[in-house]
């Protein structure tokens, strides 16, 4: 049993979508959410920069006595998770594009994977693509610039709709069965993505799987908290703007 908080980080607002799933599954835990807003976006940066930023995030959370770390960022997981696990002696749980459930539930159909340019280039995704391409047609779709719009707190409206229209224009006459949200920012615009298709498309993200894996690890390691009343959440950001913390809380409550 351990009543210390679970540390969760992302480049900014994205990981709030994972925090929601963690809180839903483990409401009694305390959480510290750290958004590295100052250095966002990660998804177009070099490996060494992403590694350096991820380490800083972990150190910050460990200073606040985190008992486990959830890397609520596909980009940072792809680049840094392995090395970070080798350096720290606490559970470090990552997230990856939910290609497996998408391929299993939509065999012999087309599945788009929206993610950052870095995530789609890395070994983790290349492996996923290789493993599931015989089940479904997996189409990687990098979305440069989308995280920047969401980081401004915009989750609906013209700017997002126009971005998606251009992004999805090559698929106008192609039937897509599922869209995998391979970046934790994108669940915040799930409704806009649904609306961008004229027909029903299954939208899948990795947040639930990551929450389940976190609970599984904490259980195995005997690190679940001993409380039976709601835990608290501390929101933090590397940006000094007060607006950021307000947007984090707003997105969490949506
Ligand atoms: N939300 C992150 C991800 O899941 C990072 C996006 C970014 O900073 O580019 O990939």
């Amino acid at each position: 049993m351990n009543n210390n908080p679970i540390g969760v980080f992302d480049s900014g607002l994205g990981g709030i979508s994972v925090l929601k799933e963690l809180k839903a599954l483990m409401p009694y835990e305390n959480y510290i959410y750290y958004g590295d807003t100052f250095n966002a976006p990660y998804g177009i940066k070099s490996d060494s920069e992403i590694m350096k930023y991820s380490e800083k995030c972990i150190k910050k959370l460990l200073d606040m006595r985190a008992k486990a770390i959830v890397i609520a960022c596909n980009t940072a997981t792809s680049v840094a998770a392995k090395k970070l696990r080798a350096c720290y002696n606490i559970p470090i749980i990552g997230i990856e594009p939910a290609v497996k459930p998408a391929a299993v539930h939509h065999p012999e159909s087309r599945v788009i994977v929206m993610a950052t340019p870095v995530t789609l280039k890395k070994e983790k995704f290349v492996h996923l693509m290789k493993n599931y391409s015989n089940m479904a047609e997996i189409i990687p779709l990098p979305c440069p610039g989308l995280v920047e719009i969401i980081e401004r707190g915009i989750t609906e409206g013209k700017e997002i709709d126009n971005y998606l229209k251009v992004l999805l224009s090559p698929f106008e006459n192609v039937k897509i069965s599922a869209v995998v949200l391979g970046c934790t920012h994108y669940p915040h615009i799930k409704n806009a993505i649904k609306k961008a298709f004229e027909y029903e498309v299954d939208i899948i993200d990795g947040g639930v799987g990551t929450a389940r894996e976190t609970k599984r690890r904490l259980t195995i390691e005997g690190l679940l908290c001993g409380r039976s009343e709601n835990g608290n959440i501390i929101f933090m950001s590397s940006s000094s703007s007060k607006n950021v913390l307000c947007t984090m809380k707003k997105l969490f409550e949506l």
Side-chain angles (χ1 to χ4, degrees), residues 147-194:
V147 163
E148 287 90 321
I149 301 175
I150 300 167
E151 276 299 304
R152 289 182 358 242
I154 297 171
T155 55
E156 56 184 3
K158 262 209 173 118
E159 196 172 355
I160 296 273
D161 291 344
N162 288 343
Y163 182 99
L164 293 173
K165 196 166 181 220
V166 174
L167 182 82
L168 297 169
S169 59
F171 308 104
E172 248 161 42
N173 299 313
V174 185
K175 171 85 171 81
I176 302 298
S177 296
V179 176
V180 173
L181 306 182
C183 166
T184 55
H185 280 72
Y186 306 161
H188 297 315
I189 59 159
K190 188 173 174 175
N191 291 340
I193 295 171
K194 268 198 171 200

Side-chain angles (χ1 to χ4, degrees), residues 9-18 33 36 39-45 50 71-78 95 114-119 143 145-148 151 181-187:
F9 82 87
D10 175 53
S11 65
L13 301 170
I16 298 281
S17 64
V18 181
Y33 182 83
D36 191 9
N39 294 310
Y42 283 4
I44 47 170
K45 300 229 158 67
I50 297 167
I71 309 177
C73 174
N74 291 265
T75 310
T77 301
S78 303
I95 186 165
M114 291 172 64
T116 67
V118 167
T119 297
C143 306
L146 185 51
V147 163
E148 287 90 321
E151 276 299 304
L181 306 182
C183 166
T184 55
H185 280 72
Y186 306 161

Side-chain angles (χ1 to χ4, degrees), residues 1-253:
M1 224 147 61
N2 186 318
N3 284 342
N4 286 358
I6 299 172
V8 183
F9 82 87
D10 175 53
S11 65
L13 301 170
I16 298 281
S17 64
V18 181
L19 181 66
K20 279 186 191 177
E21 303 296 350
L22 288 162
K23 177 74 181 164
L25 191 66
M26 294 176 286
Y28 304 146
E29 296 289 340
N30 286 335
Y31 296 92
I32 304 171
Y33 182 83
Y34 185 70
D36 191 9
T37 319
F38 186 74
N39 294 310
Y42 283 4
I44 47 170
K45 300 229 158 67
S46 68
D47 285 13
S48 59
E49 281 174 301
I50 297 167
M51 189 67 215
K52 184 176 80 188
Y53 298 147
S54 302
E55 261 190 307
K56 271 194 180 164
C57 292
I58 292 209
K59 283 196 179 127
K60 189 109 202 159
L61 293 166
L62 289 179
D63 281 348
M64 297 183 73
R65 302 170 53 85
K67 62 182 172 185
I69 302 288
V70 177
I71 309 177
C73 174
N74 291 265
T75 310
T77 301
S78 303
V79 172
K82 240 190 219 162
K83 283 191 195 150
L84 293 171
R85 284 187 188 119
C87 295
Y88 298 96
N89 200 18
I90 57 165
I92 298 181
I93 297 96
I95 186 165
E96 66 179 28
V99 173
K100 180 181 175 183
V104 169
H105 289 113
H106 299 277
E108 283 164 43
S109 63
R110 289 190 197 89
V111 173
I112 286 179
V113 184
M114 291 172 64
T116 67
V118 167
T119 297
L120 295 175
K121 270 189 235 141
K122 289 290 151 199
E123 200 187 326
K124 198 176 245 313
F125 179 73
V126 172
H127 265 129
L128 284 169
M129 178 106 180
K130 213 167 113 196
N131 287 344
Y132 297 102
S133 284
N134 58 347
M135 291 177 80
E137 185 185 338
I138 315 286
I139 306 167
L141 187 58
C143 306
L146 185 51
V147 163
E148 287 90 321
I149 301 175
I150 300 167
E151 276 299 304
R152 289 182 358 242
I154 297 171
T155 55
E156 56 184 3
K158 262 209 173 118
E159 196 172 355
I160 296 273
D161 291 344
N162 288 343
Y163 182 99
L164 293 173
K165 196 166 181 220
V166 174
L167 182 82
L168 297 169
S169 59
F171 308 104
E172 248 161 42
N173 299 313
V174 185
K175 171 85 171 81
I176 302 298
S177 296
V179 176
V180 173
L181 306 182
C183 166
T184 55
H185 280 72
Y186 306 161
H188 297 315
I189 59 159
K190 188 173 174 175
N191 291 340
I193 295 171
K194 268 198 171 200
K195 208 178 70 185
F197 288 88
E198 272 154 19
Y199 49 89
E200 195 67 28
V201 175
D202 196 9
I203 313 276
I204 302 170
D205 78 77
V208 177
T210 298
R212 279 198 205 119
E213 176 60 12
T214 305
K215 187 171 184 184
R216 193 185 71 83
R217 286 293 305 279
L218 293 179
T219 308
I220 291 175
E221 315 258 350
L223 288 175
L224 284 170
C225 74
R227 277 184 305 270
S228 51
E229 75 262 11
N230 254 321
N232 58 41
I233 303 175
I234 297 173
F235 292 94
M236 294 189 329
S237 165
S238 56
S239 155
S240 51
S241 153
K242 275 204 182 115
N243 276 349
V244 175
L245 297 183
C246 290
T247 312
M248 280 179 179
K249 287 176 195 161
K250 204 176 95 195
L251 285 178
F252 182 75
E253 269 141 33

